[in-house]
Amino acid sequence: MAEIKYQQNEQVNLAAQTLPEEEEWFDLLPIEKKLISYSLGLGIILLVIFIVTFKVM
């Protein structure tokens, strides 16, 4: 049983090492870029509201 698990782990490691460089990651989709920008903008706006409301500075 242990030999089978070892062989499977070895095969997974070999498969991960043989991936071509262009298949390691993909460019972001337009909707992903939009979601990132919305969440970043919302975070900055909420941070400003927090600073103004609680007079942190």
Side-chain angles (χ1 to χ4, degrees):
M1 184 87 172
E3 290 179 20
I4 294 172
K5 287 184 180 178
Y6 178 73
Q7 290 174 351
Q8 289 174 349
N9 287 341
E10 190 174 301
Q11 288 175 352
V12 170
N13 289 339
L14 288 175
Q17 292 173 354
T18 58
L19 283 176
E21 191 171 317
E22 62 270 1
E23 292 183 11
E24 288 183 12
W25 61 81
F26 300 99
D27 290 337
L28 293 174
L29 297 173
I31 188 67
E32 292 171 329
K33 291 179 183 178
K34 190 179 285 188
L35 287 171
I36 290 170
S37 64
Y38 285 161
S39 63
L40 185 61
L42 181 63
I44 291 172
I45 290 170
L46 291 174
L47 182 63
V48 169
I49 290 172
F50 173 79
I51 290 173
V52 169
T53 303
F54 294 105
K55 298 176 183 138
V56 174
M57 292 185 174

